[in-house]
Amino acid sequence: MGNSWEYNYYLRENATNNFLPTPVTETVDITETIVLNNKTYYNFKHIVNGNDGNYSSLPSNGERNYVLRDSLGFLIDETGLIKYNNSNNNEYFVDQMNDELSYYLKLSDMDNNIITNAGSFMCYDNHYYLKDGDGNQSNSLDHIYREIGKGEILRTMSFASQNEHFAEKRLESYSTQ
């Protein structure tokens, strides 16, 4: 407990293809441990600010809490779903989005050096993507880059129909113990 992270959201500017900062920020704090079914989970409190309604594709203002536990290279939620993997390159089911689409993740074969305002990080890259009922992957491919011991560094966000992501959530500062 006591770990905290601060992020800023960036949107792609179509004219230049650069990502520009928005006023939307997110803070994440590990606030407590919780024991559920004899397993210890960490409560991650996320607070989003700065979204005055002009950024419908970014998270809304407010507080959300998520409980996750470490399990042999995976972050797992209280329902047993894998939210992150740093142990192997298998494909894992993450969630059912609707009757037609399911969300999956797969660890990339390569590590990536990611640079944000918080520094330079050697990260595992989890690919997140949608598949239809026939197993066809959507055009989009999102990434969540994490460094062991530091946490999430960069997250991309895309629409299922587009090849390029439209937004990034970047680490601005952090404190880990």
Side-chain angles (χ1 to χ4, degrees):
M1 291 188 301
N3 294 353
S4 62
W5 299 265
E6 294 183 14
Y7 299 92
N8 196 22
Y9 284 87
Y10 293 74
L11 287 175
R12 182 185 302 272
E13 181 184 54
N14 291 331
T16 64
N17 221 23
N18 293 327
F19 286 88
L20 302 177
T22 70
V24 181
T25 62
E26 184 171 348
T27 58
V28 179
D29 294 291
I30 298 178
T31 59
E32 62 183 330
T33 58
I34 301 168
V35 176
L36 300 170
N37 299 321
N38 296 320
K39 295 179 181 157
T40 301
Y41 292 82
Y42 293 93
N43 186 71
F44 289 78
K45 180 172 77 171
H46 294 244
I47 299 175
V48 175
N49 287 303
N51 193 344
D52 55 8
N54 290 330
Y55 305 99
S56 60
S57 57
L58 298 180
S60 305
N61 288 345
E63 179 179 322
R64 292 156 196 83
N65 289 278
Y66 304 95
V67 293
L68 300 170
R69 67 180 172 89
D70 180 38
S71 177
L72 304 173
F74 298 94
L75 284 180
I76 298 176
D77 72 10
E78 72 279 9
T79 66
L81 292 175
I82 296 171
K83 298 301 180 184
Y84 189 80
N85 165 27
N86 68 7
S87 67
N88 65 53
N89 300 93
N90 295 332
E91 178 180 79
Y92 292 96
F93 172 81
V94 175
D95 203 359
Q96 188 73 35
M97 299 305 290
N98 56 39
D99 289 340
E100 299 173 11
L101 295 173
S102 297
Y103 206 34
Y104 289 86
L105 72 83
K106 184 176 182 180
L107 180 64
S108 170
D109 293 332
M110 298 176 50
D111 293 346
N112 295 88
N113 185 38
I114 302 297
I115 299 171
T116 71
N117 289 337
S120 178
F121 304 89
M122 189 52 65
C123 296
Y124 286 105
D125 175 11
N126 270 224
H127 294 176
Y128 287 80
Y129 47 91
L130 294 171
K131 284 187 170 183
D132 64 21
D134 294 327
N136 299 311
Q137 186 174 327
S138 68
N139 289 331
S140 66
L141 176 65
D142 284 322
H143 303 267
I144 297 181
Y145 298 96
R146 294 177 61 91
E147 180 175 285
I148 293 178
K150 300 286 187 327
E152 185 176 312
I153 307 301
L154 176 80
R155 174 187 299 249
T156 67
M157 290 163 273
S158 61
F159 297 112
S161 61
Q162 296 181 346
N163 291 338
E164 293 185 335
H165 61 280
F166 68 87
E168 294 181 351
K169 175 182 153 184
R170 298 180 190 171
L171 183 64
E172 299 293 321
S173 65
Y174 67 96
S175 173
T176 57
Q177 299 178 2

mmCIF file of all heavy atoms in Angstrom, residues 133-158:
data_model
loop_
_atom_site.group_PDB
_atom_site.id
_atom_site.type_symbol
_atom_site.label_atom_id
_atom_site.label_comp_id
_atom_site.label_asym_id
_atom_site.label_seq_id
_atom_site.Cartn_x
_atom_site.Cartn_y
_atom_site.Cartn_z
ATOM 1 N N GLY A 133 -17.660 -13.564 -32.829
ATOM 2 C CA GLY A 133 -18.032 -14.937 -32.501
ATOM 3 C C GLY A 133 -17.371 -15.990 -33.366
ATOM 4 O O GLY A 133 -17.258 -17.152 -32.967
ATOM 5 N N ASP A 134 -16.897 -15.604 -34.555
ATOM 6 C CA ASP A 134 -16.202 -16.534 -35.454
ATOM 7 C C ASP A 134 -14.692 -16.544 -35.226
ATOM 8 O O ASP A 134 -13.965 -17.225 -35.949
ATOM 9 C CB ASP A 134 -16.493 -16.174 -36.916
ATOM 10 C CG ASP A 134 -17.952 -16.375 -37.281
ATOM 11 O OD1 ASP A 134 -18.584 -17.302 -36.721
ATOM 12 O OD2 ASP A 134 -18.464 -15.591 -38.109
ATOM 13 N N GLY A 135 -14.214 -15.744 -34.259
ATOM 14 C CA GLY A 135 -12.785 -15.710 -33.965
ATOM 15 C C GLY A 135 -11.991 -14.710 -34.780
ATOM 16 O O GLY A 135 -10.766 -14.682 -34.702
ATOM 17 N N ASN A 136 -12.682 -13.848 -35.538
ATOM 18 C CA ASN A 136 -11.989 -12.834 -36.334
ATOM 19 C C ASN A 136 -11.627 -11.642 -35.460
ATOM 20 O O ASN A 136 -12.481 -11.106 -34.749
ATOM 21 C CB ASN A 136 -12.879 -12.362 -37.490
ATOM 22 C CG ASN A 136 -13.234 -13.499 -38.417
ATOM 23 O OD1 ASN A 136 -12.384 -14.259 -38.854
ATOM 24 N ND2 ASN A 136 -14.528 -13.641 -38.704
ATOM 25 N N GLN A 137 -10.371 -11.212 -35.543
ATOM 26 C CA GLN A 137 -9.896 -10.082 -34.746
ATOM 27 C C GLN A 137 -10.289 -8.770 -35.403
ATOM 28 O O GLN A 137 -10.208 -8.637 -36.626
ATOM 29 C CB GLN A 137 -8.376 -10.156 -34.588
ATOM 30 C CG GLN A 137 -7.830 -9.095 -33.654
ATOM 31 C CD GLN A 137 -6.341 -9.269 -33.401
ATOM 32 O OE1 GLN A 137 -5.835 -10.374 -33.370
ATOM 33 N NE2 GLN A 137 -5.655 -8.165 -33.223
ATOM 34 N N SER A 138 -10.702 -7.796 -34.592
ATOM 35 C CA SER A 138 -11.055 -6.474 -35.103
ATOM 36 C C SER A 138 -9.802 -5.749 -35.581
ATOM 37 O O SER A 138 -8.680 -6.182 -35.327
ATOM 38 C CB SER A 138 -11.754 -5.651 -34.023
ATOM 39 O OG SER A 138 -10.851 -5.337 -32.988
ATOM 40 N N ASN A 139 -10.010 -4.620 -36.250
ATOM 41 C CA ASN A 139 -8.881 -3.827 -36.748
ATOM 42 C C ASN A 139 -8.049 -3.225 -35.624
ATOM 43 O O ASN A 139 -6.856 -2.998 -35.785
ATOM 44 C CB ASN A 139 -9.376 -2.702 -37.659
ATOM 45 C CG ASN A 139 -9.892 -3.225 -38.975
ATOM 46 O OD1 ASN A 139 -9.451 -4.260 -39.458
ATOM 47 N ND2 ASN A 139 -10.833 -2.510 -39.560
ATOM 48 N N SER A 140 -8.662 -2.942 -34.513
ATOM 49 C CA SER A 140 -7.958 -2.247 -33.435
ATOM 50 C C SER A 140 -7.026 -3.183 -32.666
ATOM 51 O O SER A 140 -7.253 -4.387 -32.578
ATOM 52 C CB SER A 140 -8.963 -1.632 -32.462
ATOM 53 O OG SER A 140 -9.682 -2.653 -31.804
ATOM 54 N N LEU A 141 -5.978 -2.589 -32.150
ATOM 55 C CA LEU A 141 -5.049 -3.293 -31.267
ATOM 56 C C LEU A 141 -4.569 -2.290 -30.232
ATOM 57 O O LEU A 141 -3.915 -1.308 -30.576
ATOM 58 C CB LEU A 141 -3.857 -3.863 -32.046
ATOM 59 C CG LEU A 141 -2.780 -4.543 -31.202
ATOM 60 C CD1 LEU A 141 -3.334 -5.796 -30.526
ATOM 61 C CD2 LEU A 141 -1.576 -4.894 -32.071
ATOM 62 N N ASP A 142 -4.944 -2.506 -28.993
ATOM 63 C CA ASP A 142 -4.493 -1.619 -27.923
ATOM 64 C C ASP A 142 -3.344 -2.256 -27.173
ATOM 65 O O ASP A 142 -3.174 -3.474 -27.183
ATOM 66 C CB ASP A 142 -5.640 -1.306 -26.962
ATOM 67 C CG ASP A 142 -6.613 -0.309 -27.553
ATOM 68 O OD1 ASP A 142 -6.154 0.615 -28.245
ATOM 69 O OD2 ASP A 142 -7.816 -0.452 -27.332
ATOM 70 N N HIS A 143 -2.568 -1.405 -26.522
ATOM 71 C CA HIS A 143 -1.398 -1.846 -25.768
ATOM 72 C C HIS A 143 -1.485 -1.300 -24.351
ATOM 73 O O HIS A 143 -1.885 -0.153 -24.149
ATOM 74 C CB HIS A 143 -0.107 -1.309 -26.406
ATOM 75 C CG HIS A 143 0.061 -1.700 -27.831
ATOM 76 N ND1 HIS A 143 0.751 -2.816 -28.222
ATOM 77 C CD2 HIS A 143 -0.391 -1.125 -28.973
ATOM 78 C CE1 HIS A 143 0.744 -2.911 -29.533
ATOM 79 N NE2 HIS A 143 0.054 -1.897 -30.017
ATOM 80 N N ILE A 144 -1.090 -2.127 -23.402
ATOM 81 C CA ILE A 144 -0.834 -1.637 -22.048
ATOM 82 C C ILE A 144 0.599 -2.025 -21.727
ATOM 83 O O ILE A 144 0.950 -3.207 -21.708
ATOM 84 C CB ILE A 144 -1.807 -2.210 -20.999
ATOM 85 C CG1 ILE A 144 -3.227 -1.761 -21.312
ATOM 86 C CG2 ILE A 144 -1.391 -1.757 -19.601
ATOM 87 C CD1 ILE A 144 -4.266 -2.243 -20.325
ATOM 88 N N TYR A 145 1.415 -1.006 -21.521
ATOM 89 C CA TYR A 145 2.834 -1.201 -21.216
ATOM 90 C C TYR A 145 3.019 -1.067 -19.712
ATOM 91 O O TYR A 145 2.622 -0.065 -19.119
ATOM 92 C CB TYR A 145 3.679 -0.157 -21.937
ATOM 93 C CG TYR A 145 3.578 -0.221 -23.441
ATOM 94 C CD1 TYR A 145 2.696 0.602 -24.129
ATOM 95 C CD2 TYR A 145 4.377 -1.097 -24.158
ATOM 96 C CE1 TYR A 145 2.617 0.554 -25.512
ATOM 97 C CE2 TYR A 145 4.304 -1.153 -25.550
ATOM 98 C CZ TYR A 145 3.421 -0.321 -26.217
ATOM 99 O OH TYR A 145 3.337 -0.376 -27.593
ATOM 100 N N ARG A 146 3.639 -2.082 -19.109
ATOM 101 C CA ARG A 146 3.900 -2.082 -17.665
ATOM 102 C C ARG A 146 5.345 -2.475 -17.419
ATOM 103 O O ARG A 146 5.890 -3.330 -18.115
ATOM 104 C CB ARG A 146 2.997 -3.080 -16.946
ATOM 105 C CG ARG A 146 1.533 -2.756 -16.970
ATOM 106 C CD ARG A 146 0.706 -3.844 -16.301
ATOM 107 N NE ARG A 146 1.060 -4.006 -14.912
ATOM 108 C CZ ARG A 146 0.480 -3.370 -13.892
ATOM 109 N NH1 ARG A 146 -0.487 -2.539 -14.123
ATOM 110 N NH2 ARG A 146 0.876 -3.586 -12.667
ATOM 111 N N GLU A 147 5.926 -1.854 -16.408
ATOM 112 C CA GLU A 147 7.254 -2.271 -15.953
ATOM 113 C C GLU A 147 7.078 -2.911 -14.585
ATOM 114 O O GLU A 147 6.382 -2.365 -13.721
ATOM 115 C CB GLU A 147 8.218 -1.088 -15.865
ATOM 116 C CG GLU A 147 9.603 -1.525 -15.394
ATOM 117 C CD GLU A 147 10.616 -0.398 -15.416
ATOM 118 O OE1 GLU A 147 11.071 -0.034 -16.509
ATOM 119 O OE2 GLU A 147 10.935 0.116 -14.319
ATOM 120 N N ILE A 148 7.698 -4.058 -14.399
ATOM 121 C CA ILE A 148 7.611 -4.750 -13.110
ATOM 122 C C ILE A 148 8.170 -3.845 -12.021
ATOM 123 O O ILE A 148 9.233 -3.251 -12.177
ATOM 124 C CB ILE A 148 8.357 -6.096 -13.161
ATOM 125 C CG1 ILE A 148 7.631 -7.056 -14.102
ATOM 126 C CG2 ILE A 148 8.476 -6.707 -11.766
ATOM 127 C CD1 ILE A 148 8.291 -8.394 -14.280
ATOM 128 N N GLY A 149 7.443 -3.719 -10.945
ATOM 129 C CA GLY A 149 7.853 -2.881 -9.827
ATOM 130 C C GLY A 149 7.437 -1.425 -9.960
ATOM 131 O O GLY A 149 7.483 -0.680 -8.995
ATOM 132 N N LYS A 150 7.014 -1.018 -11.164
ATOM 133 C CA LYS A 150 6.587 0.376 -11.371
ATOM 134 C C LYS A 150 5.100 0.463 -11.706
ATOM 135 O O LYS A 150 4.445 1.421 -11.373
ATOM 136 C CB LYS A 150 7.381 1.025 -12.504
ATOM 137 C CG LYS A 150 8.874 1.086 -12.277
ATOM 138 C CD LYS A 150 9.243 2.135 -11.277
ATOM 139 C CE LYS A 150 10.703 2.418 -11.081
ATOM 140 N NZ LYS A 150 11.675 1.405 -11.214
ATOM 141 N N GLY A 151 4.568 -0.524 -12.430
ATOM 142 C CA GLY A 151 3.153 -0.514 -12.790
ATOM 143 C C GLY A 151 2.923 -0.073 -14.220
ATOM 144 O O GLY A 151 3.818 -0.138 -15.065
ATOM 145 N N GLU A 152 1.690 0.390 -14.463
ATOM 146 C CA GLU A 152 1.296 0.799 -15.811
ATOM 147 C C GLU A 152 1.985 2.099 -16.197
ATOM 148 O O GLU A 152 1.934 3.078 -15.463
ATOM 149 C CB GLU A 152 -0.223 0.966 -15.884
ATOM 150 C CG GLU A 152 -0.734 1.267 -17.270
ATOM 151 C CD GLU A 152 -2.244 1.325 -17.335
ATOM 152 O OE1 GLU A 152 -2.899 0.400 -16.812
ATOM 153 O OE2 GLU A 152 -2.754 2.296 -17.913
ATOM 154 N N ILE A 153 2.594 2.090 -17.394
ATOM 155 C CA ILE A 153 3.336 3.247 -17.884
ATOM 156 C C ILE A 153 2.563 3.958 -18.985
ATOM 157 O O ILE A 153 2.472 5.181 -19.003
ATOM 158 C CB ILE A 153 4.731 2.818 -18.415
ATOM 159 C CG1 ILE A 153 5.489 2.008 -17.359
ATOM 160 C CG2 ILE A 153 5.508 4.024 -18.901
ATOM 161 C CD1 ILE A 153 5.732 2.712 -16.036
ATOM 162 N N LEU A 154 2.019 3.197 -19.920
ATOM 163 C CA LEU A 154 1.310 3.774 -21.065
ATOM 164 C C LEU A 154 0.211 2.823 -21.502
ATOM 165 O O LEU A 154 0.412 1.604 -21.512
ATOM 166 C CB LEU A 154 2.280 3.993 -22.238
ATOM 167 C CG LEU A 154 1.670 4.504 -23.539
ATOM 168 C CD1 LEU A 154 1.444 6.012 -23.465
ATOM 169 C CD2 LEU A 154 2.576 4.182 -24.711
ATOM 170 N N ARG A 155 -0.929 3.404 -21.854
ATOM 171 C CA ARG A 155 -2.070 2.629 -22.366
ATOM 172 C C ARG A 155 -2.583 3.338 -23.611
ATOM 173 O O ARG A 155 -2.734 4.552 -23.610
ATOM 174 C CB ARG A 155 -3.168 2.573 -21.317
ATOM 175 C CG ARG A 155 -4.468 1.921 -21.789
ATOM 176 C CD ARG A 155 -5.559 2.048 -20.743
ATOM 177 N NE ARG A 155 -5.187 1.398 -19.502
ATOM 178 C CZ ARG A 155 -5.758 0.294 -19.033
ATOM 179 N NH1 ARG A 155 -6.741 -0.272 -19.689
ATOM 180 N NH2 ARG A 155 -5.361 -0.228 -17.893
ATOM 181 N N THR A 156 -2.830 2.560 -24.669
ATOM 182 C CA THR A 156 -3.437 3.137 -25.866
ATOM 183 C C THR A 156 -4.918 2.800 -25.882
ATOM 184 O O THR A 156 -5.348 1.811 -25.284
ATOM 185 C CB THR A 156 -2.776 2.622 -27.155
ATOM 186 O OG1 THR A 156 -3.046 1.228 -27.308
ATOM 187 C CG2 THR A 156 -1.269 2.865 -27.139
ATOM 188 N N MET A 157 -5.702 3.637 -26.581
ATOM 189 C CA MET A 157 -7.138 3.428 -26.705
ATOM 190 C C MET A 157 -7.533 3.602 -28.160
ATOM 191 O O MET A 157 -7.107 4.557 -28.808
ATOM 192 C CB MET A 157 -7.890 4.424 -25.831
ATOM 193 C CG MET A 157 -7.733 4.136 -24.354
ATOM 194 S SD MET A 157 -8.197 5.549 -23.351
ATOM 195 C CE MET A 157 -6.645 6.410 -23.331
ATOM 196 N N SER A 158 -8.337 2.664 -28.664
ATOM 197 C CA SER A 158 -8.755 2.741 -30.059
ATOM 198 C C SER A 158 -10.197 2.303 -30.202
ATOM 199 O O SER A 158 -10.770 1.703 -29.294
ATOM 200 C CB SER A 158 -7.844 1.880 -30.939
ATOM 201 O OG SER A 158 -7.915 0.529 -30.534
#
